[in-house]
Amino acid sequence: MSTPPDPLSGYPKWAQELARKYFTKTLNTFVLYGNVRDLVPTVGADGKTGYLPLRSFLTDDLFATRDVVVYYDRAAGIHFSDGESQRDFNRAVSGYDTLMGTDYAQKLPKDPARVMSLLRSYFRLRLGEGKRIACIIDFAETIIPMAEAATYSPEDRGALVALRKWSSDPLFLQADFTVCLLTENLNDLNQRFIQSAHTAEIRIDHPNAAERQAFVEYSTEGTPFAERSDVPTRVLAQNTAGLGYTQLRTIVADVLENAERLTYERLSVKKKELIESEAHGMLEFIETDLSLDLVAGHGEAKDHLRSAAAALKAGRPDVMPMGYLVSGPVGTGKTFMITCFAGEIGIPMVVLKNFRSQWQGVTEGNLEKILTLLQAMTPVAVMIDEADAMLGDRDSGGDSGVSSRVFGQIATFMSNTKNRGKVIFFLVTARPDLMPIDLKRQGRAEEHLALFYPTSREDREEGELDAAAVFAKLSSMQST
């Protein structure tokens, strides 16, 4: 007996996960986070793949059978996917005004407290009539933001309580009712809401190489792209790790609409610009033609790094450490050595810039954004300079626990064995004694490279020769 085809097989993995959890009838509230501002692949009735913005995908595909699809965000307020639903809601609001003594029919509220009360009344009314409803709340971090319990505003408390009630209300659970909250960073949301057993968090990942290639072929089919590009579509897909469909469309459109020839150099520049923009300036690419041959002394450290470069080029990520701790006094060339190593490894290297903020919850959200991008860019090497000051400590205090949470995020990410050989950390510091021991152990920054000042005449003479070579190399690069 043949197995019937899975009706969800044409959906992205995250949508399949959402549908299966919803079908259990124990969950109706989902937080979609990650790559939520990108396009979503969807298979049409003709069997061909197309691409829609997430909101359109939810409305026209995932929730296409719902009688009512309502949207809410702070800027636009309450609005609907079709005119009939909007008119039905307006009639219900008139009845609400008569009952409650409000005048919402004249001007709908936009603040969460009044919106949640109004929507709850409308949902209970229509669900009681057997209507099927989906509610999409965009920019959810502005509705239930991350905050310490003592600092909640009355509005924050009201929105949080309302959403938690929706997620556990027996009427809402038994009916065909779904709430989707959209946010880029999970850490930007109220953690009490995230940790509730009545909500499910579903991550939308950046597209992988095969998905990127399918999109490029879809976008360039029947166009003169191949004639205007030195980069084949397969190579374009392979060399754009970390980019989403929207950013790929920008690269393709630059070729087709602006008639700009796509060279390998131009692709490298465009990718750098797009990823740095996506990271809001918190990541910076290292692009260099330098090599470890230009590093004076430090023979053992150079041999160690050359072995790592050879393993990466040979496709052996399994023998790579999860990360390196590079320590030594000021002036020993720690940053320069890692910059030179970037010229040898054949994979991108980025520098983690300052991601900390004075505003509560923003630091953790920034770091989550960075780590998500790094996971999408694999393979990639990451240099964190002044790591003792940047990464925090499990026991840090005096900053409302921000440093300890940052430490926890970094430590968890670094110890994920799925990232071995894919995301390689270089923690650079002049004060390794200030680094938390948990980051220096096996499974994190497990290889330790110590650099020291030259102690022999031969080392000093080598340093003078190498300094001249570096100067000549940099001069030739600048003239080029």
Side-chain angles (χ1 to χ4, degrees), residues 15-90:
Q16 295 181 32
E17 181 185 357
L18 186 153
R20 291 193 171 102
K21 287 185 175 181
Y22 176 74
F23 288 151
T24 65
K25 291 297 182 182
T26 59
L27 291 169
N28 66 16
T29 303
F30 302 89
V31 179
L32 305 184
Y33 70 100
N35 193 32
V36 297
R37 306 299 169 203
D38 204 2
L39 303 175
V40 179
T42 180
V43 179
D46 56 0
K48 294 183 178 180
T49 299
Y51 295 84
L52 297 171
L54 177 59
R55 177 169 148 169
S56 298
F57 172 78
L58 292 174
T59 304
D60 302 334
D61 202 322
L62 198 61
F63 299 138
T65 61
R66 300 300 173 93
D67 300 305
V68 177
V69 178
V70 56
Y71 311 103
Y72 169 60
D73 64 71
R74 273 185 175 271
I78 304 169
H79 49 293
F80 292 79
S81 61
D82 63 279
E84 179 55 38
S85 296
Q86 184 71 60
R87 289 188 289 271
D88 176 68
F89 180 71
N90 291 340

Side-chain angles (χ1 to χ4, degrees), residues 175-413:
D176 201 352
F177 175 76
T178 310
V179 179
C180 286
L181 294 92
L182 312 184
T183 185
E184 292 186 56
N185 301 321
L186 199 60
N187 277 303
D188 288 343
L189 295 188
N190 185 288
Q191 294 305 296
R192 292 197 174 195
F193 181 79
I194 296 300
Q195 294 164 5
S196 169
H198 297 288
T199 62
E201 298 75 51
I202 297 179
R203 176 172 163 174
I204 302 179
D205 291 316
H206 284 72
N208 58 33
E211 292 166 338
R212 293 194 300 272
Q213 183 171 349
F215 178 76
V216 172
E217 291 174 351
Y218 166 84
S219 302
T220 59
E221 185 178 4
T223 71
F225 179 84
E227 302 166 12
R228 301 178 183 177
S229 175
D230 298 337
V231 185
T233 56
R234 178 182 59 82
V235 178
L236 174 59
Q238 290 174 345
N239 286 273
T240 48
L243 299 185
Y245 298 120
T246 303
Q247 295 160 319
L248 281 171
R249 186 171 60 181
T250 300
I251 294 174
V252 172
D254 192 42
V255 175
L256 297 178
E257 304 299 331
N258 298 329
E260 291 283 355
R261 188 162 195 84
L262 184 63
T263 63
Y264 285 93
E265 293 76 15
R266 187 170 181 80
L267 175 60
S268 177
V269 170
K270 292 291 290 183
K271 177 183 176 180
K272 175 178 180 291
E273 290 175 350
L274 290 169
I275 289 184
E276 289 182 354
S277 175
E278 179 80 3
H280 308 302
M282 294 178 290
L283 288 179
E284 179 183 341
F285 276 83
I286 296 178
E287 294 182 321
T288 177
D289 292 331
L290 303 178
S291 70
L292 290 171
D293 293 334
L294 298 176
V295 177
H298 309 310
E300 292 185 8
K302 287 189 293 186
D303 290 342
H304 203 84
L305 291 175
R306 285 190 175 115
S307 298
L312 284 172
K313 292 177 180 178
R316 290 295 309 277
D318 56 304
V319 302
M320 291 293 299
M322 298 296 289
Y324 292 86
L325 175 65
V326 184
S327 61
V330 175
T332 52
K334 301 182 294 296
T335 302
F336 179 69
M337 173 176 280
I338 303 306
T339 302
C340 291
F341 177 68
E344 296 203 6
I345 56 178
I347 65 174
M349 176 173 274
V350 295
V351 176
L352 180 60
K353 309 294 282 185
N354 182 28
F355 56 87
R356 291 179 177 268
S357 170
Q358 62 178 322
W359 306 112
Q360 190 170 28
V362 175
T363 297
E364 297 91 320
N366 287 344
L367 183 55
E368 181 185 348
K369 177 75 171 178
I370 291 169
L371 297 180
T372 299
L373 273 175
L374 292 177
Q375 204 153 39
M377 290 167 58
T378 57
V380 63
V382 186
M383 180 166 69
I384 305 178
D385 214 347
E386 305 296 341
D388 55 290
M390 185 80 78
L391 300 183
D393 194 310
R394 186 188 301 278
D395 300 321
S396 295
D399 59 0
S400 300
V402 172
S403 291
S404 61
R405 289 194 293 271
V406 165
F407 170 82
Q409 285 178 265
I410 286 283
T412 300
F413 188 88

Side-chain angles (χ1 to χ4, degrees), residues 73-148:
D73 64 71
R74 273 185 175 271
I78 304 169
H79 49 293
F80 292 79
S81 61
D82 63 279
E84 179 55 38
S85 296
Q86 184 71 60
R87 289 188 289 271
D88 176 68
F89 180 71
N90 291 340
R91 290 191 294 269
V93 170
S94 297
Y96 184 92
D97 285 344
T98 302
L99 182 64
M100 306 299 294
T102 55
D103 60 349
Y104 295 158
Q106 299 300 317
K107 185 178 180 180
L108 288 175
K110 292 185 178 181
D111 61 284
R114 292 188 295 170
V115 164
M116 296 300 176
S117 176
L118 183 57
L119 286 178
R120 180 175 182 273
S121 175
Y122 176 69
F123 292 156
R124 294 188 69 84
L125 179 66
R126 293 296 177 254
L127 290 174
E129 298 173 352
K131 296 288 187 180
R132 297 166 297 176
I133 299 175
C135 178
I136 300 170
I137 300 177
D138 206 353
F139 300 98
E141 67 276 8
T142 65
I143 310 299
I144 47 170
M146 163 63 183
E148 297 294 332

